[in-house]
Amino acid sequence: MELTQLLERLCALDGISGDETVAAEFICSQLDGKCEYSADALGNIIAFKKGEKSSGKKLMLCAHMDEVGLIVTNINKDGTLSFGTVGGVDSNVLFGKRVYVSKERHLGVIASKTVHNLSKDEKKKALSTDELVIDLGMSEEQAKKCVNLGDSVVFDSQFLRFGNGMLKGKAIDDRAGCAILLMLLENELKYDTYFVFTVQEEVGLRGASAATFAIKPDFAVVIEATTAADIPSSNGAKRVCEVGKGAVVSYMDRRTIYDKELYSLAWETAEECNLPCQTKTMVAGGNDAGTISVTASGVRTAAISLPCRYLHTPSSVISESDLISTYELVKHFAERIHLL
């Protein structure tokens, strides 16, 4: 399976934070016969693949399995569902979206007051999640037979190729990182390497803390998707990074100041391998590096990310060329880390 096909398979799977089982089962099916792996109590998948030799250093490559989504908090008298968000979901992107509720995947539509019933003041304000409900097309009695409080809600979103080499889908953050790790595991490795697929990143980097404590690596590389705000209304530093300009190597975000030697090595690797590369022009966001880098006695950590428009929506957008070049950079960068 080639990289984009693998990403498409992964994005089609349901797996919001705390409910990653379906995604985890697929990932395990791809690991069978290729390496040693196990799942910890939280649900992280920790894989180890022997290389041609050991460098004497423990390197951990990490991507998170979970995606943002919603969770059912009440079944209302009219049969609609109230919900909360799981992870950073902007309520502005929710109205009118199709979703699937519970493991049985009951189709629903996110709804609110119709526009002609809104006051002038209400029309000027963004809707909050408290003003939105999920319409299942059912009565209260029917809904109670199908849905329980705490059920997961995922976006209904088709993976599509469009435009000039663009890919659109849900959960690209961070199934793209998972796809890259799985493709790396298809190769024979020069050095022993740990591959970790974490849970609950979107709600506080929780899985990565447990996995890192178990492995106690010397080095870690987080493979992520990061916000690209390269739309006409954004200028200068506010564009953050740009789709189509290669992998993003971060020097700092709101959770982590990255290892400076690793940061320089990533850039040197990109240059030597003739791979496009960029950095984030704003100190923003965060990822599993925020907890990995400070676990146990500390871990020297780098992040290589895929620029992604409309992150945490049903229609995240990346460039296929960025996906491929990010994979190539991670592959060569990992080998060079072992030589430090």
Side-chain angles (χ1 to χ4, degrees):
M1 196 183 311
E2 56 98 21
L3 184 57
T4 302
Q5 290 175 326
L6 183 55
L7 177 61
E8 182 172 2
R9 287 284 300 276
L10 285 161
C11 288
L13 303 173
D14 298 339
I16 71 168
S17 303
D19 193 9
E20 299 94 346
T21 303
V22 174
E25 287 176 349
F26 174 79
I27 288 170
C28 288
S29 75
Q30 301 301 298
L31 299 177
D32 286 336
K34 296 171 186 172
C35 62
E36 303 169 11
Y37 71 90
S38 62
D40 67 14
L42 275 179
N44 298 303
I45 300 169
I46 300 174
F48 174 75
K49 183 163 183 176
K50 287 194 67 65
E52 295 172 10
K53 53 189 173 181
S54 171
S55 67
K57 305 178 182 73
K58 284 185 181 180
L59 171 63
M60 181 177 87
L61 305 181
C62 176
H64 68 89
M65 295 183 285
D66 58 313
E67 61 187 291
V68 298
L70 311 172
I71 192 166
V72 177
T73 58
N74 194 54
I75 300 172
N76 302 315
K77 295 294 185 184
D78 59 0
T80 62
L81 309 177
S82 296
F83 60 87
T85 58
V86 178
V89 183
D90 186 346
S91 60
N92 286 315
V93 306
L94 294 177
F95 180 76
K97 298 298 187 296
R98 300 194 334 177
V99 293
Y100 289 111
V101 180
S102 82
K103 293 189 184 300
E104 284 68 44
R105 304 189 95 230
H106 299 290
L107 183 65
V109 177
I110 297 178
S112 185
K113 281 186 185 180
T114 56
V115 66
H116 63 271
N117 282 334
L118 296 176
S119 68
K120 286 184 179 180
D121 288 340
E122 286 176 323
K123 289 178 181 178
K124 295 175 184 178
K125 295 188 299 183
L127 292 168
S128 69
T129 53
D130 291 339
E131 298 171 288
L132 298 167
V133 294
I134 298 170
D135 181 357
L136 293 176
M138 298 180 185
S139 67
E140 180 187 13
E141 182 181 3
Q142 291 168 326
K144 284 183 174 178
K145 291 178 181 178
C146 299
V147 178
N148 295 306
L149 303 190
D151 278 351
S152 297
V153 181
V154 297
F155 296 123
D156 172 24
S157 176
Q158 186 179 2
F159 188 92
L160 297 172
R161 293 169 170 82
F162 75 105
N164 184 22
M166 296 296 184
L167 305 172
K168 166 262 174 191
K170 74 169 182 70
I172 286 175
D173 174 21
D174 183 33
R175 305 288 164 71
C178 294
I180 287 170
L181 293 194
L182 289 174
M183 286 301 295
L184 290 171
L185 277 158
E186 295 284 339
N187 303 327
E188 295 300 320
L189 303 179
K190 281 190 178 181
Y191 302 101
D192 298 350
T193 305
Y194 288 88
F195 296 79
V196 178
F197 303 84
T198 62
V199 297
Q200 298 190 43
E201 189 268 359
E202 298 291 2
V203 291
L205 322 181
R206 296 171 187 173
S209 180
T212 307
F213 190 84
I215 296 169
K216 294 184 173 61
D218 300 296
F219 299 95
V221 181
V222 175
I223 299 93
E224 254 284 18
T226 195
T227 299
D230 56 337
I231 56 176
S233 59
S234 297
N235 297 302
K238 291 185 178 180
R239 294 173 74 82
V240 188
C241 59
E242 299 187 33
V243 171
K245 292 193 174 181
V248 180
V249 180
S250 296
Y251 51 84
M252 180 179 175
D253 58 39
R254 287 180 181 167
R255 292 296 303 261
T256 311
I257 299 176
Y258 292 94
D259 185 277
K260 293 188 182 299
E261 186 178 11
L262 293 181
Y263 176 74
S264 297
L265 181 62
W267 279 92
E268 290 167 12
T269 303
E271 186 174 348
E272 290 169 11
C273 297
N274 197 29
L275 295 169
C277 194
Q278 58 185 316
T279 194
K280 291 170 72 169
T281 55
M282 288 185 71
V283 176
N287 56 53
D288 275 336
T291 190
I292 291 170
S293 60
V294 295
T295 295
S297 58
V299 180
R300 297 180 63 183
T301 306
I304 297 181
S305 304
L306 190 69
C308 180
R309 294 177 188 151
Y310 327 125
L311 205 71
H312 290 188
T313 76
S315 299
S316 297
V317 171
I318 61 170
S319 163
E320 186 170 23
S321 66
D322 287 342
L323 178 65
I324 294 167
S325 62
T326 300
Y327 163 78
E328 291 292 336
L329 179 56
V330 173
K331 180 174 71 173
H332 294 293
F333 181 47
E335 287 186 1
R336 284 164 168 77
I337 290 174
H338 281 286
L339 301 175
L340 291 175

